[in-house]
Amino acid sequence: MADERGLFIYGIVPSDVEPTADAEGVGDPPGAVTAIRQGPVAALVSEVALEAPLGRPADLVAYQQLLDGTAAVAPVLPVRFGTVVTGPDAVADLLDAHGDRFADALDDLEGQVQYVVHGRYEEAELISALLAEDAAAADLADQVRGQPEEATREQRIRLGEMISQAVELRREAENRELLDRVGELAVSAVPRPPSSELDAVNVAFLVDADQEDEFLDAVEEFAEQRRDLVRTRLLGPLAPYDFVSAHELAG
């Protein structure tokens, strides 16, 4: 008996968007990506076996690559990863019920892409800087240096707490500084939760094409001023994952 098939939905786009012939979707082997159109909007989809497990790293990469590649040339509303429906009729029903709202959101996103500025502290340099600023922490560090862990357990716990609090305060200050320096060059900005205790900054920006070059220059300047302490990465252009999704618009 043949596997039952469904449609994996990646995102909603204007109806005139056409997937490239080599666009690959999720699954093993990857599914061919097509567009189902309804009025002013379309859904990017590919066939998957309904029983097939989704969630492999390769599937998430395929999902993101398709949406990010689309966002570079047209507005796109991401659909939550793993959304699978039974067939074209279910997709058409979705577009029919929410098409006007989707179309308005796509119009608002025209010419805009997401960037993420993510920075992580160099641990050794960060600890040195924190100890240089805090005499009490530096004294605790001297007390535990070279001593058995068991004999200095309380001091180590207290030192760890002091360092953790100091890093959190630094992170808040770094994010504020980034938003102050770069935020005015973006349409919108959303601070993201830290992905590591050593995160220095993690902010998503929605950027208009007219200010993209100026935005990138400002981020580069921000990163250069911290290059000895923070490893900064700029991710993008991306689909607007942090700003809008089809699920939110569909309620």
Side-chain angles (χ1 to χ4, degrees):
M1 181 178 175
D3 289 339
E4 289 190 75
R5 310 293 288 178
L7 290 177
F8 185 107
I9 309 179
Y10 299 87
I12 310 299
V13 294
S15 61
D16 59 354
V17 170
E18 186 69 43
T20 59
D22 59 350
E24 292 186 343
V26 301
D28 184 16
V33 178
T34 60
I36 295 178
R37 309 176 203 284
Q38 183 82 5
V41 295
L44 299 177
V45 303
S46 69
E47 274 198 356
V48 292
L50 292 178
E51 294 80 10
L54 295 172
R56 301 174 308 142
D59 292 331
L60 184 56
V61 168
Y63 165 82
Q64 292 175 330
Q65 285 182 341
L66 179 66
L67 289 177
D68 295 345
T70 302
V73 296
V76 57
L77 304 175
V79 171
R80 186 181 302 136
F81 177 80
T83 299
V84 177
V85 298
T86 54
D89 288 345
V91 178
D93 288 344
L94 171 70
L95 299 181
D96 186 56
H98 306 288
D100 290 342
R101 207 173 311 170
F102 291 161
D104 289 343
L106 290 168
D107 285 343
D108 291 341
L109 287 171
E110 184 70 43
Q112 299 175 359
V113 291
Q114 174 173 317
Y115 282 92
V116 173
V117 180
H118 180 249
R120 185 162 292 173
Y121 288 114
E122 298 282 4
E123 186 171 11
E125 285 77 3
L126 174 64
I127 298 301
S128 295
L130 293 178
L131 296 182
E133 296 170 358
D134 190 327
D139 183 57
L140 279 173
D142 288 338
Q143 292 177 38
V144 304
R145 190 174 293 114
Q147 300 300 313
E149 289 190 16
E150 190 60 35
T152 55
R153 175 176 165 75
E154 291 186 7
Q155 293 96 321
R156 290 176 186 273
I157 290 174
R158 177 58 183 149
L159 178 60
E161 291 173 344
M162 294 174 72
I163 290 175
S164 179
Q165 292 170 2
V167 172
E168 186 173 346
L169 291 174
R170 269 183 174 262
R171 182 186 301 125
E172 291 174 358
E174 292 283 10
N175 277 292
R176 284 196 302 270
E177 177 68 14
L178 175 63
L179 289 167
D180 288 345
R181 297 270 298 277
V182 180
E184 64 181 15
L185 300 173
V187 177
S188 186
V190 177
R192 297 171 129 202
S195 59
S196 161
E197 61 184 6
L198 289 175
D199 269 11
V201 291
N202 195 9
V203 181
F205 295 91
L206 190 64
V207 181
D208 191 276
D210 291 341
Q211 291 193 292
E212 195 168 0
D213 289 342
E214 192 175 355
F215 171 83
L216 296 176
D217 288 343
V219 171
E220 183 176 358
E221 181 180 354
F222 177 88
E224 180 62 25
Q225 292 174 349
R226 290 154 176 79
R227 64 191 304 268
D228 293 333
L229 184 62
V230 180
R231 301 190 309 274
T232 304
R233 296 186 304 155
L234 179 65
L235 309 177
L238 309 171
Y241 305 103
D242 287 273
F243 298 95
V244 65
S245 76
H247 278 86
E248 292 171 347
L249 293 171

